[in-house]
Amino acid sequence: MPWRVSDILSKATPGQDLVIKGWVRTVRQQKQHAFVELSDGSHQTPLQIVATPELVKGIEVEGKIVESPAGKQKLEMVASRLNIIGACDPEKYPLAKKKHSLEFMREIPHLRARTNTIGGVLRVRDTAASAIRDFFHENGFIELHTPILTSSDCEGTCDEQRPREFFDRTVGLTVSGQLQAEMAACALSRVYTFGPTFRADNSMTRNHLAEFWMIEPEIAFCDLNLNMRVAEHMVKAVIEAVLAKCDEDMAFFHKRVDEGLMARLHKTLAGRPLEVTYTDAVKLLEKSGKKFEFPVAWGLDLQKEHERYLVEFEFDNRPVFVTHYPKDIKPFYMKLDEDGRTVQAMDLLVPTIGELIGGSVREENLDTLQARMKAMNMNVDDYQWYLDLRRFGTVPHAGFGLGFERLLQYVTGMDNIRDVIPVPRYRGYCRF
């Protein structure tokens, strides 16, 4: 494969004659030399090219690798030939060398990957995705490709999607691959999905997208405690991989985006997440004396402001699992606790984000599940296939969902979820 900037900075030795291709970030002209910053997206730091002024016309460079006297990087290239591949008018180029706001870059998402910030996000995104797959494969999981088009409603929001009448029934865009993953988990024991999902949230906040990527493992013979341990170790595996493989990008995020980033990530790695029941969490919120925008009471769902208060103030910025939520605020498939009021659910809360992961033990008892579906006025006939999983060899099983973009926000410190996905989709916006 051709040399990349990252290869040269990590593997090249002085005296090598190489060819490199990329995009010119900046050109600094002097009488005898011109200094070109060349980037190909493979590294946070560009490669410095030393050339004569008359050669600075292009972005395919042939030259000799030498030790850099400047100290910013160990190596640089002395150019003997530059060749123009694609011209760019610097007077019209919207990303001139100055600090651009993330709001401005969202107006030109087709170009923003060329910036240090978004380029770094995309490199971290790639490393995180690989780390997730590595984690599951090393632990015996099989990746499952669940459908994007679905006739089953998992989370109670599928009816908000625009239906398609091309098939023999009303079809919507998937909000979760969980129900289909349960099919495979009841035969293969450990599976996971990693793909796009959709929500028609009427929200314009920094935390919501209409299209995002979801990781959803499903595990047979699994209880709530094991479910939490899998979630914990998966998150830690991603953080460890990103810190090890994206050190320059992470240093950039720590310096330029969030000065508390590294401390939070290392605290996440340092110990197990804490645990608190929903009931006790509500008591803590009620005793806090803090005035929240949304009401706090047993039976109401926790809002982001409640989640962040709990993890950042009550639990000193340590991740925490909130467990055993009221059944009336959770989906039909979650296993009832013995009290009949709560379900075996868990949410992982982390600083700056709130809920990062949501999961549960699934109800494996056929009669209990049918009664729950009827109580929620669901059309049981539409879910006979799902009930078959309980009729024919039912077993306890559990799983969770992780929004990939929220994980990337947590790992990079980026404030707006629209800045951690290559092409964002949200209410009123679907360009390209």
Side-chain angles (χ1 to χ4, degrees), residues 13 20 23 25 30 38 82 114 130 194 200 208 248 290 298 320 330-331 337 350 417-418 420:
T13 56
I20 182 74
W23 292 270
R25 285 278 184 87
Q30 295 182 356
L38 189 74
L82 282 87
R114 303 181 184 192
S130 295
F194 193 164
H208 291 89
E248 293 225 4
K290 182 175 176 59
W298 199 98
V320 57
K330 289 297 183 179
D337 285 314
V350 296
I417 200 168
R418 299 172 189 175
V420 295

Side-chain angles (χ1 to χ4, degrees), residues 225-240:
N225 182 63
L226 178 57
N227 202 29
M228 290 190 289
R229 299 288 75 78
V230 173
E232 170 197 347
H233 291 302
M234 183 202 65
V235 170
K236 288 181 175 179
V238 172
I239 294 173
E240 289 171 349

Side-chain angles (χ1 to χ4, degrees), residues 45 48 66-76 248:
T45 304
Q48 179 166 284
V66 299
E67 294 181 352
S68 177
K72 289 185 178 181
Q73 56 186 0
K74 294 181 180 180
L75 302 174
E76 62 186 24
E248 293 225 4

Side-chain angles (χ1 to χ4, degrees), residues 115-135:
T115 65
N116 288 333
T117 301
I118 304 302
V121 165
L122 297 181
R123 285 187 291 270
V124 168
R125 184 183 177 103
D126 172 69
T127 297
S130 295
I132 287 169
R133 288 190 165 93
D134 289 344
F135 170 81

Side-chain angles (χ1 to χ4, degrees), residues 132-420:
I132 287 169
R133 288 190 165 93
D134 289 344
F135 170 81
F136 283 123
H137 291 161
E138 289 166 5
N139 285 280
F141 284 74
I142 294 172
E143 183 172 6
L144 188 70
H145 301 147
T146 53
I148 292 175
L149 296 174
T150 180
S151 58
S152 299
D153 186 358
C154 180
E155 299 291 336
T157 57
C158 196
D159 58 343
E160 297 178 7
Q161 308 294 344
R162 183 171 296 174
R164 299 288 184 266
E165 303 294 350
F166 180 80
F167 302 97
D168 61 345
R169 65 197 67 200
T170 300
V171 171
L173 296 172
T174 186
V175 298
S176 169
Q178 176 204 313
L179 301 188
Q180 292 86 356
E182 286 188 58
M183 296 178 186
C186 291
L188 303 174
S189 294
R190 300 176 188 177
V191 301
Y192 75 100
T193 74
F194 193 164
T197 53
F198 307 86
R199 301 285 169 90
D201 290 328
N202 189 19
S203 174
M204 295 293 288
T205 72
R206 67 181 181 85
N207 304 306
H208 291 89
L209 291 168
E211 179 186 54
F212 57 98
W213 285 66
M214 183 88 86
I215 298 97
E216 296 179 285
E218 198 69 29
I219 314 161
F221 313 104
C222 180
D223 60 13
L224 187 62
N225 182 63
L226 178 57
N227 202 29
M228 290 190 289
R229 299 288 75 78
V230 173
E232 170 197 347
H233 291 302
M234 183 202 65
V235 170
K236 288 181 175 179
V238 172
I239 294 173
E240 289 171 349
V242 168
L243 291 177
K245 298 178 181 179
C246 301
D247 52 330
E248 293 225 4
D249 288 316
M250 294 303 293
F252 174 86
F253 292 130
H254 179 71
K255 180 178 180 181
R256 301 289 184 89
V257 177
D258 184 349
E259 292 182 350
L261 175 63
M262 301 304 285
R264 284 198 306 274
L265 295 181
H266 285 296
K267 182 173 280 192
T268 300
L269 294 175
R272 285 176 60 165
L274 302 173
E275 295 179 26
V276 63
T277 65
Y278 166 89
T279 299
D280 288 340
V282 169
K283 291 177 181 178
L284 290 172
L285 292 168
E286 290 175 332
K287 293 178 181 178
S288 69
K290 182 175 176 59
K291 186 176 181 180
F292 295 104
E293 179 182 354
F294 293 94
V296 176
W298 199 98
L300 298 179
D301 206 356
L302 300 181
Q303 303 298 316
K304 183 170 290 291
E305 60 174 341
H306 307 142
E307 295 167 344
R308 289 193 59 181
Y309 173 82
L310 287 169
V311 71
E312 293 171 16
F313 294 95
E314 292 290 348
F315 298 108
D316 190 31
N317 280 306
R318 286 184 61 183
V320 57
F321 282 110
V322 180
T323 63
H324 300 283
Y325 282 77
K327 65 181 176 64
D328 291 336
I329 61 174
K330 289 297 183 179
F332 72 95
Y333 52 77
M334 294 191 176
K335 184 174 180 63
L336 282 171
D337 285 314
E338 292 183 359
D339 62 10
R341 300 175 68 232
T342 59
V343 290
Q344 295 185 25
M346 62 86 170
D347 286 350
L348 177 61
L349 312 184
V350 296
T352 72
I353 301 297
E355 180 192 340
L356 181 65
I357 287 175
S360 74
V361 178
R362 319 312 189 189
E363 182 59 71
E364 83 275 10
N365 182 280
L366 176 61
D367 293 337
T368 304
L369 182 58
Q370 284 181 313
R372 180 95 170 103
M373 295 170 75
K374 291 176 181 177
M376 297 180 69
N377 296 316
M378 296 176 62
N379 187 340
V380 178
D381 289 340
D382 289 344
Y383 291 86
Q384 288 303 315
W385 65 268
Y386 188 69
L387 296 173
D388 278 349
L389 301 176
R390 278 72 181 170
R391 290 190 181 99
F392 309 125
T394 185
V395 298
H397 57 288
F400 60 83
L402 165 68
F404 189 42
E405 282 71 28
R406 285 192 182 180
L407 176 62
L408 291 171
Q409 281 185 280
Y410 186 54
V411 170
T412 62
M414 296 294 286
D415 182 65
N416 196 308
I417 200 168
R418 299 172 189 175
D419 297 326
V420 295

Side-chain angles (χ1 to χ4, degrees), residues 23-38 46-58 68-73 75-77 82 90 97:
W23 292 270
V24 173
R25 285 278 184 87
T26 63
V27 178
R28 182 162 48 91
Q29 297 273 14
Q30 295 182 356
K31 288 184 178 180
Q32 300 296 325
H33 297 94
F35 298 92
V36 180
E37 286 190 351
L38 189 74
L47 177 66
Q48 179 166 284
I49 309 294
V50 182
T52 56
E54 63 270 15
L55 284 178
V56 183
K57 296 179 180 179
S68 177
K72 289 185 178 181
Q73 56 186 0
L75 302 174
E76 62 186 24
M77 176 182 281
L82 282 87
K97 189 179 181 180

